[in-house]
């Protein structure tokens, strides 16, 4: 089962995703962290979140690029947080996939979906601001949009969290890989 969860900044999507994982049963819980902790503030934020997740029995795996080669236990419940960071890393980091970002990320999601009992993916709604960006940022947004559309197509469920309220966009159905 693949569940894509989206929403704007501060919408409550991450809390909703974690709640869904906790409701999914007692299987092994894997948290795939994609944010590169730049600077002391970033490291402190990561450490604070890791401690919070530990109380919820998450095992944290860091994956900044190359999702396809990440190994997760068969049958685990997996939360990938978040797709926006992963795509940015693939686009901008030296070891990233660059122009092959969409293919690299979606192949990784397909592999995870085949191993996980349940896969929850958090992404950001960043396409509603109407602002014109520089070409590099526009390329990143284009790749993120393609990745989000492809994952939504594969997903059993798609939920948008608006002001803490989950709105089902694509309820139920079969996972299409």
């Amino acid at each position: 089962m693949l569940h894509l969860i989206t929403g704007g900044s501060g919408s409550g999507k991450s809390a909703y995703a974690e709640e869904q994982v906790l409701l999914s049963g007692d299987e092994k819980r894997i948290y795939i962290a994609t944010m590169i902790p730049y600077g002391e503030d970033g490291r402190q934020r990561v450490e604070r979140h890791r401690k919070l997740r530990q109380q919820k029995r998450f095992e944290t795996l860091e994956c900044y690029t190359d999702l396809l080669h990440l190994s997760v236990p068969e049958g685990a419940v997996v939360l990938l947080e978040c797709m926006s960071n992963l795509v940015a890393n693939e686009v901008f980091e030296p070891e990233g996939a660059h122009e092959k970002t969409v293919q690299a990320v979606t192949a990784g999601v397909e592999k995870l979906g085949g191993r996980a009992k349940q896969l929850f993916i958090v992404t950001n709604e960043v396409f509603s601001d109407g602002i014109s960006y520089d070409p590099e940022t526009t390329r990143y947004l284009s790749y993120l949009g393609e990745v989000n559309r492809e994952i939504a197509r594969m997903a059993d469920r798609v939920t948008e969290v608006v002001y803490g309220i989950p709105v089902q966009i694509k309820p139920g159905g079969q996972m299409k890989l």
Side-chain angles (χ1 to χ4, degrees):
M1 196 279 297
L2 172 59
H3 187 170
L4 179 64
I5 300 161
T6 188
S9 177
S11 65
K13 63 190 173 294
S14 296
Y16 173 76
E18 285 189 18
E19 176 183 297
Q20 295 303 295
V21 170
L22 296 176
L23 292 172
S24 67
D26 288 329
E27 287 78 17
K28 185 168 189 71
R29 297 176 185 148
I30 304 293
Y31 185 101
I32 301 174
T34 62
M35 186 187 97
I36 298 173
Y38 292 111
E40 187 56 33
D41 286 346
R43 284 187 285 282
Q44 287 177 3
R45 181 178 176 191
V46 165
E47 190 55 38
R48 186 178 77 247
H49 286 151
R50 182 173 284 160
K51 285 179 183 174
L52 290 172
R53 287 191 303 270
Q54 195 173 34
Q55 295 169 0
K56 298 174 184 177
R57 296 189 357 243
F58 277 100
E59 176 185 334
T60 300
L61 300 177
E62 295 172 357
C63 181
Y64 308 131
T65 60
D66 198 16
L67 186 61
L68 183 61
H69 292 99
L70 180 69
S71 180
V72 299
E74 183 92 29
V77 177
V78 177
L79 172 56
L80 188 153
E81 171 85 35
C82 86
M83 188 52 65
S84 306
N85 286 330
L86 182 62
V87 170
N89 297 340
E90 292 288 6
V91 171
F92 298 116
E93 289 299 313
E95 65 278 4
H98 306 287
E99 67 278 351
K100 296 179 181 170
T101 292
V102 174
Q103 297 86 350
V105 171
T106 56
V109 168
E110 286 180 6
K111 181 182 172 197
L112 280 176
R115 291 196 55 81
K117 178 179 178 183
Q118 295 182 67
L119 173 58
F120 298 88
I121 298 176
V122 175
T123 192
N124 284 296
E125 171 51 51
V126 295
F127 307 99
S128 302
D129 59 13
I131 297 173
S132 294
Y133 292 99
D134 63 84
E136 278 194 14
T137 303
T138 300
R139 180 171 56 102
Y140 158 71
L141 291 172
S142 173
Y143 290 165
L144 179 59
E146 286 183 60
V147 166
N148 285 347
R149 285 191 304 273
E150 184 59 22
I151 295 172
R153 184 194 65 76
M154 290 188 280
D156 299 292
R157 294 177 64 194
V158 177
T159 303
E160 180 179 14
V161 180
V162 182
Y163 307 122
I165 301 168
V167 179
Q168 298 303 310
I169 304 298
K170 183 179 179 183
Q174 293 286 16
M175 186 167 165
K176 300 173 187 83
L177 293 177

